């Protein structure tokens, strides 16, 4: 039995919108089928905004973005039972995430998914907001639905600008 199974890892997620209103998604090295938006843990003492900007640089390899909005609430998800013992050494049963909508003001050449020695993604693309939920791993579908719902008015406003 996992000791702290009821714990959720604090994390940030990033919905990065380009000028055309499409969202950055990456295909993780451990998946051949599923795409996801950047996300990652919050370091001790780190502010949420700092964590989001750090994760953007680490996973997308760019700092050419500005924060437009933040999700109203924490969004929680549970890992599948079989994954819990091997993910984060069994310390967490899932994640609680604060999501940030960011506007990308760079060009595609400003993205470098191999920015760090340990890249998260093996490939990336821009995807429509409407396609996000269909292409994410099943246990994160509700998270993506919630994020799109919580940020919908800010997404629309960012696309119009």
């Amino acid at each position: 039995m996992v000791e702290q199974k009821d714990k959720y890892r604090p994390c940030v997620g990033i919905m990065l919108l380009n000028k055309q209103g499409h969202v950055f998604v990456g295909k993780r090295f451990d998946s051949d089928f599923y795409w996801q938006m950047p996300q990652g843990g919050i370091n001790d003492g780190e502010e949420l905004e700092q964590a989001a900007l750090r994760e953007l640089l680490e996973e997308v390899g760019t700092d050419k973005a500005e924060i437009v909005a933040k999700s109203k609430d924490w969004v929680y998800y549970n890992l599948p039972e079989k994954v819990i013992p091997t993910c984060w050494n069994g310390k967490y049963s899932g994640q609680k995430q604060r999501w940030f909508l960011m506007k990308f003001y760079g060009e595609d050449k400003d993205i470098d998914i191999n920015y760090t020695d340990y890249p998260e993604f093996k490939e990336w693309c821009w995807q429509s907001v409407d396609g996000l939920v269909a292409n994410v791993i099943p246990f994160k579908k509700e998270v993506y639905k919630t994020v799109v719902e919580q940020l919908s008015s800010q997404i629309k406003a960012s696309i119009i600008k």
Side-chain angles (χ1 to χ4, degrees), residues 32-64:
D32 288 328
F33 309 106
Y34 303 115
W35 296 81
Q36 75 174 39
M37 293 182 281
Q39 64 177 53
I42 302 165
N43 295 332
D44 288 339
E46 192 173 36
E47 295 293 326
L48 294 174
E49 290 79 5
Q50 287 176 302
L53 292 168
R54 176 185 50 76
E55 285 293 332
L56 178 71
L57 187 57
E58 288 176 6
E59 294 190 6
V60 182
T62 191
D63 60 358
K64 295 185 180 299

